[in-house]
């Protein structure tokens, strides 16, 4: 479903040098897998995620999603691919001036879905995340966990095959974290969505992930099945 081939992303460094945030990463994520990406702050995890949905264009290498080579697309094509990939962040950033329903329907409206159809679909995803009864509420009326579930609903609205999560539970307490993780598990098992998540919590990896990739200084230094990697000395 996702394939990275020798991907490199550099930024201008000090004194005209180049700094590689992602430095030669090759990675394959099979359809239906949950991959956890772990590593210290600054290891390149967020950059890797942004390369997968093409918010960043690689300096070198190739990024394939669903068999399509994103590196070969123009901006219009990249935008279409981005719509086919859901993204969940640590801080949800819902529009305060829109209802829960309006927030979830928003990406559909952006994609040109007619209003009535967008609302129908938004209600359907809200039902999936267990918040249908909150559709008419305002974001500020929700708890942190509910807001994060709305974030997941918004990411799912366009029926993506891939969901990328950047520290989606890092700002949540243990109980709420659990709720969101259980939801992400259902997204994977019931909807068949391939999930890639960044986390610094090993419990999250153990609970949710099939595969894990450990990043350090822009490289994947260790990867494989979770039970296998954790069993290594
Ligand atoms: P985190 O540790 O939570 O991943 P980061 O320190 O990586 O946070 O940075 C968060 C955001 O700031 C990212 O979107 C990243 O692209 C951007 N960023 C980080 N470092 C720089 C930098 N040196 N110049 C410009 N943007 C940066
Ligand atoms: P992580 O998510 O593992 O914390 P990031 O991918 O956010 O790591 O960042 C990796 C490195 O790349 C960091 O040193 C960060 O400062 C740098 N970086 C990230 N985004 C940018 C950017 N837009 N411009 C310059 N440097 C960046």
């Amino acid at each position: 479903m996702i394939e990275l081939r020798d991907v490199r992303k550099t930024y201008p460094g000090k004194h005209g040098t180049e700094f590689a945030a992602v430095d030669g990463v090759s990675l394959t994520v099979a359809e239906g897998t949950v991959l956890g990406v772990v590593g210290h702050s600054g290891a390149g995890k967020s950059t890797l995620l942004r390369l997968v949905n093409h918010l960043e264009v690689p300096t070198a290498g190739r990024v394939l999603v669903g068999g399509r080579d994103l590196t070969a697309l123009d901006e219009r094509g990249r935008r279409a691919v981005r719509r086919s990939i859901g993204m969940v962040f640590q801080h949800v950033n819902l529009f305060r001036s829109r209802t829960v329903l309006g927030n979830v329907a928003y990406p559909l409206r952006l994609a040109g879905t007619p209003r009535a159809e967008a609302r129908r679909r938004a209600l359907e995803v809200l039902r999936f995340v267990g918040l249908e009864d909150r559709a008419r509420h305002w974001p500020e009326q929700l708890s942190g966990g509910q807001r994060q579930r709305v974030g997941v609903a918004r990411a799912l609205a366009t029926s993506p095959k891939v969901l990328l999560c950047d520290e989606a539970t890092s700002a949540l307490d243990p109980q709420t974290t659990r709720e969101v993780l259980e939801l992400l598990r259902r997204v994977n098992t019931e909807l068949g969505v391939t999930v890639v998540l960044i986390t610094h919590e090993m419990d999250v990896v153990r609970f949710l992930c099939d595969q894990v990739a450990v990043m350090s200084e822009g490289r994947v230094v260790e990867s494989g099945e979770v039970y296998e990697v954790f069993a290594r000395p």
Side-chain angles (χ1 to χ4, degrees):
M1 179 55 69
I2 302 170
E3 199 180 336
L4 275 69
R5 292 187 197 152
D6 208 12
V7 171
R8 192 175 156 81
K9 178 69 193 181
T10 59
Y11 295 112
K14 287 184 190 120
H15 314 299
T17 56
E18 278 198 332
F19 167 79
V22 169
D23 194 6
V25 168
S26 296
L27 201 71
T28 306
V29 188
E31 187 170 358
T33 303
V34 182
L35 169 72
V37 181
V38 302
H40 294 296
S41 180
K45 305 180 298 294
S46 301
T47 305
L48 186 80
L49 226 58
R50 292 200 306 274
L51 285 162
V52 171
N53 76 349
H54 255 53
L55 281 170
E56 300 273 11
V57 178
T59 313
R62 296 190 169 280
V63 179
L64 290 90
V65 177
R68 277 214 288 176
D69 187 348
L70 304 198
T71 19
L73 297 173
D74 58 8
E75 184 50 37
R76 191 193 157 95
R78 280 199 288 274
R79 223 177 294 137
V81 170
R82 238 175 263 146
R83 276 202 294 271
S84 73
I85 299 175
M87 188 112 190
V88 179
F89 305 93
Q90 180 171 358
H91 301 286
V92 192
N93 276 327
L94 299 172
F95 293 113
R96 301 180 59 186
S97 58
R98 290 174 202 264
T99 62
V100 166
L101 185 76
N103 270 281
V104 176
Y106 185 74
L108 291 161
R109 299 287 290 140
L110 271 189
T113 308
R115 194 157 182 266
E117 168 62 15
R119 293 172 80 84
R120 190 199 59 75
R121 171 66 186 155
L123 270 178
E124 189 174 85
V125 242
L126 280 171
R127 195 174 314 133
F128 181 81
V129 305
L131 290 173
E132 197 186 13
D133 58 338
R134 301 288 165 149
R136 312 273 158 205
H137 289 219
W138 301 100
E140 61 198 30
Q141 294 175 290
L142 304 179
S143 70
Q146 288 172 333
R147 253 178 248 151
Q148 191 54 287
R149 278 150 66 201
V150 172
V152 174
R154 179 180 58 185
L156 292 175
T158 51
S159 310
K161 292 219 159 39
V162 174
L163 186 67
L164 308 177
C165 309
D166 193 346
E167 298 280 7
T169 58
S170 300
L172 305 173
D173 62 63
Q175 173 61 36
T176 316
T177 292
R178 185 82 185 189
E179 261 175 57
V180 172
L181 292 179
E182 271 163 13
L183 172 59
L184 291 176
R185 178 133 84 185
R186 285 180 50 231
V187 169
N188 175 247
T189 57
E190 293 174 32
L191 306 178
V193 171
T194 305
V195 179
V196 179
L197 64 98
I198 294 178
T199 184
H200 60 269
E201 295 158 303
M202 287 305 155
D203 284 348
V204 170
V205 175
R206 278 196 202 90
F207 181 81
L208 196 62
C209 300
D210 309 305
Q211 307 251 330
V212 62
V214 183
M215 286 193 78
S216 175
E217 295 178 9
R219 294 170 175 277
V220 172
V221 292
E222 185 137 43
S223 67
E225 304 279 329
V226 168
Y227 67 87
E228 206 180 273
V229 170
F230 281 1
R232 283 175 202 160

